[in-house]
Amino acid sequence: MKPETYYQHLLRLIYRLLFLLVIEERDLVFPPTGSSQQRDIYRRYYSLERLRLLSEKRHLADKRHHDLWLAMLATFRLFEAHGPGDKLGLAPLAGDLFNPAAIGPLASAMLGNDVLLGCLRALGLYQHPDNSQTIRVNYAALNVEEFGSVYEGLLEYEPVFLNFSPRPRAGEGPGERMGAIEFAFAQGDQRAATSSHYTPDDLVQPLIKHSLDYLIANKLKEPHPAKALLDLRVADISCGSGHILLAAARRIATELAIVRTGEEQPSPSAFRSAIRDVIRNCIYGVDLNPLAVELCKVALWLEAHGPGEPLNFLDHHIKCGNAIIGFARREEAERGVPDEAFATMPGDDKDTAALLRKRNRQERKDHEAGQLPLSPSLQKQLDDILRGWRDLATLPEHTSDEIEAKKARYLAFSESEDAYLLNQIAAIPIAQFYLPKASDNLQKFVTDATYRRYWKGEMSPQGQATAEAWAMALRKRFFHWFLEFPEIIGRGGFDCILGNPPYLGGKKISGQYGDAVLNLLKTFYSNSDGGVDLVSYFIRRASDLLKPSGYMAFITTKKICQGDTRLACLEYLLMKGARINYAKRSIKWSGRANLQVSLFALTKNSIPLGGILDEVKVDFISSFLDNSVESKSPEILLENTNLSFQGVVTLGPGFYIDASQAKALLEADQKNADVVKIIVNGSTLNSSPELKGDQWIISFFNRSEEQAKAYHECYEIVAATES
């Protein structure tokens, strides 16, 4: 078992505990029909509240016994489908979280009372940061958005297995006892590398106010407002733990509950019923991180939970994948394999890349210009999948059996041979960007002519090349929206897309994700180059997925209205007819991250209604996020040619060394002076009038990797740090 899999089981165990702790304290375990006797039996013998109370009595933490662990497993079984809970008047929660296989090998493991009670004590008590007073956690008041801070913490660590050998006991020789495996965490860099942060609610609400609220107001004017509200489709294409989706769901559900009850302040049960229906019908999310996807589902389940109801089926709405690597609409796949897929990347064989480029270019010339029509047989398969999606939406979710039936129906068409074939073909153009171009690798490539034959149904994908493309698609999590959410694309797109996408400076994208990814992004998102921030590609993808009458709103880095990022994103969208209706140019992030961000909302609706800029009504908002109609891109001043330049761009911390390392390298081999240099950066410029820097860098300049290896000691330092 991989450490990531074991970690997932551990997280599900924690999610189960959190879920039960919350619904117990909110009195949502039993349906209204539950008797006082049944409630009392559960509270006294099965509840996690019982175990919490025991955890506060330290003398019970006896490692010789594990009866409390077995008792907790018995509690879990009460909520499984067809479990013993019905004898106690409990409806099963079931679903993925309370499936018997959800916690994997942990279900058959043993855990001492000392460890279990210690964990529950850590979950149930905390010390006040000011006076160190021990305080009991109030799970009834838990804000589900706080799961976002859990997700932010998860990104800082990577699970690992450590092997260690225990000391021999008396009479044992060395090596007679088997080694043990310990689960541990290593420091991770995923959050820092992509600037992924839990989004504070005070930044989310303006997004909703200036996008979703307009759509809700229009729906309330329709003859059947309740039905119209449930017809909204809202997405977050980098959803993280689901905080923004939760806020959107609550906003829609509030209006839905008011419409249904006719009351200005609907009861909690009316709101829970409304938000369950909203989450079931309206909410969609995608994230590259599978941990985020699972945590998002848990947050939505907890928000939508009603006593007596199973957990919603969410697999078809909350998915794992790379939102910006793949095709948004079928028409994109019909353009064939682009020549840029065979560009020479660092480490590629130039002759092989040139051969593939020439072949692909010629094949594209040999075919008529324009879109590549989908074969009738593949079109039928796509129609069948869409029909399956529409049928799925009509299935009920009131019992665990209905949830399982819905899941089975979903898997029947989403994992069918037809779906597999379409995904396999769509993967081919994207995969060509990733494959290393070497003379002994030619059989792994698919050029345009072969791809066209697959798409037109003239031949079936087979052989090493298509297998390689599919393996790459799985590994990199390609996400083709027209296949993953065909019913959304069929209705023209989402009504509203909200988000706080990851930020990453354009020059750092290749360092973090590779040159192939940067080349792919520049190819599929026109008008962009290597200086464009990662956030721009998410916004461009959101625009591709938005209905003509839709709205989208984002929290972004301030670079969104500056330089290449502005040109490739906001300016590009405005030139395509979009209109910015709200902007906040700079606002301090109120969470843990120390940064300033921008907020903006945009619509494809061209009706000139003006906008709100920094809380002031204006007639127009430009791509600079100002209200100047005359705003245009800065011009290059020819007088300053060769007087100002960017300097060296480092693509990772591994190139920096301290003064002692630099001295050792220079003394070891004088030729190392070619690549070991003192660096003057902004800090030096602002603090040292003489520009005497104290930082050193290993810079291979324009040398290839093979040439860099000639500086052996320097290359080894960089390789060891970056690996």
Side-chain angles (χ1 to χ4, degrees):
M1 180 185 296
K2 294 181 179 180
E4 293 81 7
T5 305
Y6 186 75
Y7 186 33
Q8 189 176 46
H9 294 318
L10 283 175
L11 287 173
R12 285 178 183 161
L13 173 62
I14 298 299
Y15 297 157
R16 279 186 176 187
L17 293 174
L18 291 174
F19 195 96
L20 292 179
L21 286 168
V22 171
I23 67 171
E24 283 182 8
E25 290 209 9
R26 292 179 179 174
D27 195 22
L28 298 176
V29 174
F30 283 86
T33 55
S35 69
S36 58
Q37 182 183 22
Q38 290 170 329
R39 295 170 189 267
D40 188 57
I41 291 173
Y42 176 83
R43 181 182 58 80
R44 293 174 60 187
Y45 301 108
Y46 294 100
S47 69
L48 290 189
E49 174 63 18
R50 165 181 169 266
L51 294 178
R52 273 185 81 183
L53 292 172
L54 293 178
S55 75
E56 296 169 15
K57 301 175 181 178
R58 292 181 181 270
H59 67 279
L60 296 177
D62 190 339
K63 65 181 179 181
R64 297 171 300 174
H65 301 289
H66 52 257
D67 56 300
L68 298 180
W69 170 256
L70 295 175
M72 190 171 74
L73 293 179
T75 298
F76 290 160
R77 283 193 288 274
L78 293 177
F79 297 97
E80 293 176 2
H82 307 293
D86 61 329
K87 298 177 182 177
L88 199 57
L90 291 170
L93 293 169
D96 291 339
L97 189 57
F98 286 90
N99 185 298
I103 59 174
L106 301 180
S108 57
M110 289 296 173
L111 192 66
N113 289 353
D114 57 330
V115 176
L116 176 61
L117 293 181
C119 292
L120 290 173
R121 188 163 54 249
L123 284 172
L125 302 171
Y126 71 98
Q127 286 192 324
H128 194 282
D130 296 330
N131 57 26
S132 299
Q133 180 182 358
T134 300
I135 300 175
R136 208 165 190 270
V137 177
N138 179 8
Y139 279 101
L142 176 73
N143 193 332
V144 179
E145 283 95 332
E146 292 177 33
F147 278 19
S149 59
V150 175
Y151 171 57
E152 189 173 297
L154 293 178
L155 292 178
E156 296 181 352
Y157 299 98
E158 294 177 1
V160 293
F161 283 146
L162 302 177
N163 295 305
F164 68 93
S165 299
R167 295 177 180 176
R169 291 174 178 165
E172 290 180 337
E176 289 187 27
R177 294 186 68 196
M178 293 183 63
I181 296 177
E182 180 182 352
F183 177 80
F185 291 105
Q187 189 66 37
D189 63 354
Q190 189 172 355
R191 183 170 72 89
T194 59
S195 293
S196 299
H197 299 286
Y198 159 59
T199 311
D201 192 61
D202 59 344
L203 298 182
V204 175
Q205 292 307 317
L207 303 186
I208 291 175
K209 178 180 178 181
H210 295 284
S211 58
L212 183 59
D213 275 4
Y214 298 138
L215 298 167
I216 290 174
N218 289 335
K219 294 296 184 182
L220 291 175
K221 297 174 185 176
E222 294 191 17
H224 304 286
K227 182 179 179 181
L229 287 168
L230 289 175
D231 193 51
L232 285 169
R233 297 295 180 264
V234 181
D236 184 345
I237 66 173
S238 54
C239 64
S241 61
H243 176 195
I244 295 176
L245 289 177
L246 272 173
R250 286 173 178 158
R251 183 69 190 89
I252 301 171
T254 297
E255 295 298 332
L256 179 61
I258 291 172
V259 168
R260 284 176 169 177
T261 63
E263 301 169 356
E264 291 187 7
Q265 295 290 333
S267 67
S269 61
F271 178 79
R272 283 197 301 270
S273 175
I275 201 166
R276 182 179 177 88
D277 288 340
V278 168
I279 289 173
R280 176 188 172 192
N281 290 281
C282 307
I283 300 301
Y284 292 75
V286 176
D287 201 279
L288 181 60
N289 190 330
L291 297 182
V293 171
E294 188 137 344
L295 189 54
C296 178
K297 289 179 182 178
V298 173
L300 293 172
W301 282 328
L302 194 51
E303 188 71 15
H305 175 66
E309 296 271 8
L311 303 182
N312 290 69
F313 179 67
L314 295 175
D315 290 0
H316 62 319
H317 278 200
I318 310 298
K319 294 192 173 189
C320 186
N322 192 326
I324 59 174
I325 303 293
F327 297 121
R329 297 176 184 268
R330 193 184 78 183
E331 292 78 10
E332 297 171 13
E334 293 175 345
R335 295 170 188 161
V337 180
D339 296 335
E340 293 85 352
F342 306 107
T344 305
M345 295 287 106
D348 284 344
D349 177 67
K350 294 181 180 178
D351 293 337
T352 302
L355 174 66
L356 289 166
R357 238 180 357 260
K358 181 179 179 181
R359 180 197 300 173
N360 199 75
R361 190 178 297 118
Q362 186 59 50
E363 289 173 356
R364 291 178 68 83
K365 283 183 179 178
D366 291 342
H367 291 87
E368 294 181 9
Q371 299 294 104
L372 175 65
L374 188 65
S375 72
S377 61
L378 290 178
Q379 181 63 58
K380 181 181 181 302
Q381 292 170 7
L382 192 60
D383 292 342
D384 289 344
I385 293 173
L386 178 57
R387 192 176 303 110
W389 271 93
R390 288 171 175 162
D391 291 344
L392 194 71
T394 65
L395 298 180
E397 295 186 7
H398 300 300
T399 68
S400 60
D401 286 341
E402 289 175 348
I403 294 290
E404 284 303 311
K406 190 167 186 175
K407 183 174 184 177
R409 181 80 68 89
Y410 169 66
L411 293 176
F413 67 79
S414 66
E415 296 185 0
S416 65
E417 289 186 14
D418 291 348
Y420 172 75
L421 178 62
L422 288 164
N423 271 290
Q424 189 182 33
I425 296 173
I428 290 172
I430 308 292
Q432 307 313 301
F433 284 85
Y434 288 90
L435 298 174
K437 302 164 192 75
S439 57
D440 58 351
N441 227 16
L442 280 171
Q443 71 279 5
K444 294 183 179 180
F445 288 91
V446 177
T447 49
D448 193 68
T450 303
Y451 172 72
R452 286 174 179 269
R453 295 190 68 188
Y454 293 154
W455 193 258
K456 291 160 67 177
E458 295 175 357
M459 59 187 294
S460 179
Q462 55 189 337
Q464 185 178 2
T466 52
E468 192 74 22
W470 182 241
M472 187 66 71
L474 295 176
R475 190 157 60 248
K476 300 296 183 181
R477 299 194 172 106
F478 298 172
F479 197 87
H480 305 295
W481 292 80
F482 76 99
L483 295 176
E484 298 291 346
F485 297 129
E487 85 290 9
I488 294 295
I489 303 303
R491 53 186 279 154
F494 291 103
D495 297 287
C496 185
I497 301 178
L498 305 165
N500 174 25
Y503 323 141
L504 191 64
K507 299 294 184 183
K508 297 179 181 178
I509 294 175
S510 58
Q512 178 69 25
Y513 298 110
D515 293 291
V517 171
L518 183 57
N519 180 36
L520 187 153
L521 293 173
K522 289 162 60 177
T523 300
F524 283 98
Y525 298 88
S526 59
N527 204 41
S528 64
D529 63 21
V532 174
D533 195 285
L534 182 65
V535 71
S536 171
Y537 299 110
F538 280 89
I539 294 168
R540 288 279 297 274
R541 174 47 51 94
S543 177
D544 293 338
L545 297 168
L546 196 66
K547 290 176 73 171
S549 58
Y551 284 82
M552 61 186 195
F554 292 97
I555 302 165
T556 75
T557 170
K558 288 174 64 179
K559 289 181 182 178
I560 197 66
C561 58
Q562 302 168 0
D564 293 336
T565 301
R566 177 190 69 84
L567 288 172
C569 188
L570 293 183
E571 183 64 22
Y572 176 86
L573 296 176
L574 292 181
M575 293 295 290
K576 293 289 185 180
R579 177 176 60 85
I580 300 172
N581 61 286
Y582 168 76
K584 186 83 171 178
R585 281 178 283 198
S586 181
I587 182 171
K588 188 179 185 308
W589 186 272
S590 56
R592 288 171 55 188
N594 182 25
L595 74 159
Q596 296 279 331
V597 295
S598 297
L599 311 182
F600 77 90
L602 180 150
T603 177
K604 291 184 176 181
N605 186 341
S606 59
I607 300 174
L609 298 176
I612 304 295
L613 175 63
D614 292 331
E615 312 310 324
V616 176
K617 187 170 179 57
V618 295
D619 294 329
F620 171 79
I621 301 177
S622 76
S623 62
F624 289 95
L625 298 188
D626 63 23
N627 62 336
S628 173
V629 180
E630 299 298 323
S631 296
K632 62 179 183 178
S633 299
E635 300 289 345
I636 296 174
L637 298 178
L638 297 179
E639 293 178 0
N640 290 342
T641 303
N642 296 327
L643 294 180
S644 177
F645 55 93
Q646 184 174 12
V648 175
V649 178
T650 55
L651 297 178
F655 294 99
Y656 289 97
I657 55 176
D658 58 35
S660 61
Q661 287 177 297
K663 181 180 178 182
L665 289 169
L666 293 172
E667 291 177 349
D669 191 334
Q670 64 179 14
K671 80 172 184 179
N672 285 340
D674 296 342
V675 296
V676 176
K677 304 289 182 182
I678 197 163
I679 186 169
V680 175
N681 56 21
S683 176
T684 308
L685 187 67
N686 291 324
S687 61
S688 173
E690 299 87 3
L691 298 183
K692 291 182 178 179
D694 57 359
Q695 276 193 305
W696 290 77
I697 193 170
I698 297 173
S699 177
F700 296 115
F701 297 97
N702 294 325
R703 294 175 176 86
S704 67
E705 185 171 5
E706 287 303 314
Q707 291 171 324
K709 287 180 180 178
Y711 302 89
H712 178 71
E713 299 93 340
C714 300
Y715 179 84
E716 289 299 319
I717 289 174
V718 173
T721 310
E722 293 296 299
S723 62

